[in-house]
Amino acid sequence: MLTLTDVTWLNICLVGVGVYVAKQVLIKKNPAPYPPGPAGWPLVGNVSDMPRIKPCLRFTEWGKKYGDITHVQVLGQHIIVLNSVKTAMEMLDSKSAIYSDRPVFPMGGELVGFKDALPFLPYGDRFRRYRKNLHRAIGSRAAVDEYRQIGEIETRRFLRRVLAKPNQLQEHVRHTTGAVILRISYGYEVKENSDPFVGLADRAMDGISQATTPGAFMVDILPLLAKVPAWFPGAGFQRIAREWRETLEEMVSAPHKLVKDQMAAGIAPISFTSNLLEDCAVSAEEDHIVKWSAFSLYGGGTDTTVSAIYSFFLAMTLFPDLQKKAQAEIDAVVGPDRLPSFADRDSLPYIEALVKEVLRWNVVSPTGFPHRATEDDDHDGYYIPKGSMVLPNIWFMLNDQRIYANPSQFNPERFLTNDGKEPEIDPRTICFGFGRRICPGLHLADASIWISTAMSLAVFDISKVVENGVEIIPEFEPSLGSISHPKPFKCSIKPRSATALGLIRQDANY
């Protein structure tokens, strides 16, 4: 990985791009000023200002200093950072016709190969065909209701795995989330232990998270570095990209081929992929769209859901009083003789509020995915030039004191009506993105997080671990990457009662 302090590389790059950057100097007067931002250097602009570690925090500093819209320029590329929900909605929602494109991602998109996945597609016909496929399967609550049984069965299995091996919580969360989406996407039922597709998908999604972190790779700032051979000193990113690309290609192709082979043999279960392959005369182009649509369904719904569910267990470890409130509601509404189901959702407002607070507290995608302006825009008196990269600082939006009281405090009750006070803004209107690029799997992710939360609280007490008489307090320290996960932590997970133990041990297909 290249660093911004590598003087040798910077000199080489400046020679190669000097002429290009010089052409970016304005030869005509802008119709309005750029949004405010840190002053840059001649030619290179704000190269040294772009953060590589936790960019959301640097963007937040800019927002507090310069306002809701910040502008920087890196080697001719205009970058606009949005630091308020209001501005993000005004631009990315209300003006979605010009803010729905994606920039080119040299590392993650081109070198690793994620350019064919839905989040990376430019706005156009192929993007709309992907979205149409996904909307039909999971684009509404009604559509997701078709998969309620899968979610409930797999979550019951999750409870049994946690009971058997509570110290492998993160692995169980990944396994269960993967099981739900692999079943929907490909009709594939995962193996109980060390499933190859689950492991493969985990590696692929870890690659995408690292490859798309803003500023993590110099090639994203200087795209011409993509032409540098892997053997050249400092070009280790080429080797990393090759490894991630091989994992990605296997993850995209292997389950797709499995479905096609099963269809040829007449034994394919009904799934997202089999339905699409049956519904059309499968040209090479259509096969490509089906294959990548299915991967986009998997990729868009697993990593974020894993992060949120793992965050829930961390929150319950840290805030036992809130856990007791949630369990009291389940006990009163559902009772001790059965597990909660989706049919109980409307009757469990505190559980609903708890899920919302988990999504706000650990922001799964801190800086969202960048949008690209396809036309010049004048917004709020500022000039946004065509081709600008627009980054919504979702982390700050969900920690903004203007809309969330005491945002550093974990408080589900902020989303309940108390003493006539209106609930605070639902984080699900923010954390899943904006405009026409909003996450198409948001309803499936929301359902998976809710059922895991409700069932786990019904049967488990989650608490801090005690070692040698000392209570271990986990730290809330999210990992780096475009997808944020809590770092691994220890917690104690035990059945609440003998009755709860019996519910956990029930046949998962019950």
Side-chain angles (χ1 to χ4, degrees), residues 36-356:
W41 294 90
L43 296 181
V44 298
N46 299 97
V47 165
S48 61
D49 293 312
M50 286 301 293
R52 293 173 46 247
I53 298 174
K54 294 188 177 179
C56 61
L57 300 184
R58 175 70 62 84
F59 295 163
T60 296
E61 292 174 5
W62 292 350
K64 291 178 179 178
K65 184 173 183 179
Y66 300 110
D68 291 347
I69 311 178
T70 304
H71 168 264
V72 293
Q73 191 172 8
V74 177
L75 298 173
Q77 172 65 61
H78 295 276
I79 300 173
I80 309 296
V81 178
L82 308 181
N83 273 306
S84 79
V85 175
K86 177 178 179 291
T87 303
M89 289 184 171
E90 287 175 349
M91 292 178 67
L92 305 182
D93 283 354
S94 300
K95 298 182 181 179
S96 60
I98 64 172
Y99 285 110
S100 294
D101 202 19
R102 287 285 197 233
V104 173
F105 297 83
M107 181 64 178
E110 303 301 312
L111 294 178
V112 179
F114 283 102
K115 63 183 179 181
D116 288 316
L118 178 65
F120 294 82
L121 283 179
Y123 188 73
D125 180 62
R126 181 174 281 186
F127 169 83
R128 285 186 286 269
R129 292 169 73 182
Y130 278 43
R131 292 285 300 207
K132 182 179 178 181
N133 289 342
L134 292 170
H135 182 78
R136 184 169 65 175
I138 58 168
S140 66
R141 283 188 179 274
V144 170
D145 282 348
E146 296 293 321
Y147 307 112
R148 279 185 171 188
Q149 186 178 18
I150 292 175
E152 291 179 357
I153 288 173
E154 292 297 344
T155 304
R156 285 175 175 271
R157 292 173 178 171
F158 167 74
L159 301 179
R160 296 177 72 172
R161 293 186 193 106
V162 172
L163 176 67
K165 297 180 180 179
N167 61 334
Q168 295 180 14
L169 174 63
Q170 191 171 36
E171 180 181 331
H172 299 323
V173 173
R174 287 191 176 278
H175 185 100
T176 301
T177 303
V180 171
I181 301 188
L182 283 167
R183 192 96 164 255
I184 295 170
S185 302
Y186 307 105
Y188 176 78
E189 190 161 351
V190 302
K191 296 177 172 59
E192 185 60 30
N193 296 302
S194 303
D195 185 87
F197 283 162
V198 172
L200 187 61
D202 285 348
R203 295 194 300 275
M205 298 314 299
D206 182 62
I208 192 173
S209 177
Q210 294 186 55
T212 56
T213 301
F217 291 92
M218 191 68 171
V219 68
D220 286 328
I221 297 172
L222 294 169
L224 62 87
L225 293 179
K227 304 296 183 183
V228 174
W231 53 263
F232 199 84
F237 69 91
Q238 293 279 18
R239 174 187 54 77
I240 295 171
R242 183 174 62 249
E243 292 174 359
W244 287 345
R245 187 182 190 99
E246 290 171 356
T247 301
L248 171 65
E249 289 175 349
E250 186 178 357
M251 179 60 222
V252 173
S253 299
H256 184 74
K257 181 179 183 299
L258 174 65
V259 174
K260 292 176 74 173
D261 289 346
Q262 289 175 332
M263 291 179 71
I267 58 171
I270 295 174
S271 69
F272 174 82
T273 298
S274 65
N275 284 340
L276 289 176
L277 291 175
E278 284 181 349
D279 287 352
C280 58
V282 184
S283 63
E285 166 72 4
E286 194 63 37
D287 188 69
H288 176 89
I289 289 174
V290 171
K291 180 169 67 174
W292 280 94
S293 293
F295 173 77
S296 299
L297 170 59
Y298 188 94
T302 51
D303 217 29
T304 52
T305 304
V306 168
S307 174
I309 295 173
Y310 198 50
S311 297
F312 154 73
F313 277 91
L314 175 59
M316 295 300 93
T317 303
L318 293 172
F319 310 113
D321 291 345
L322 302 183
Q323 179 181 175
K324 288 184 175 65
K325 285 186 179 181
Q327 289 172 329
E329 181 180 72
I330 292 172
D331 293 345
V333 173
V334 178
D337 299 326
R338 65 176 179 87
L339 288 169
S341 71
F342 284 112
D344 300 306
R345 186 165 187 174
D346 291 342
S347 303
L348 296 169
Y350 192 85
I351 302 302
E352 191 77 12
L354 178 58
V355 168
K356 292 177 184 178

Side-chain angles (χ1 to χ4, degrees), residues 381-445:
Y382 294 126
Y383 174 52
I384 312 295
K386 177 181 178 180
S388 294
M389 184 185 299
V390 182
L391 289 165
N393 187 5
I394 291 175
W395 183 89
F396 179 68
M397 296 177 195
L398 293 173
N399 285 273
D400 189 342
Q401 293 182 358
R402 293 172 294 184
I403 59 176
Y404 294 110
N406 301 315
S408 61
Q409 179 183 2
F410 187 91
N411 178 24
E413 293 189 12
R414 68 175 76 246
F415 300 114
L416 299 173
T417 301
N418 290 315
D419 299 325
K421 185 178 179 181
E422 288 298 310
E424 295 176 0
I425 293 177
D426 187 338
R428 294 173 296 192
T429 64
I430 302 169
C431 68
F432 290 109
F434 299 92
R436 299 177 189 179
R437 305 301 307 218
I438 193 169
C439 174
L442 66 92
H443 296 296
L444 180 60

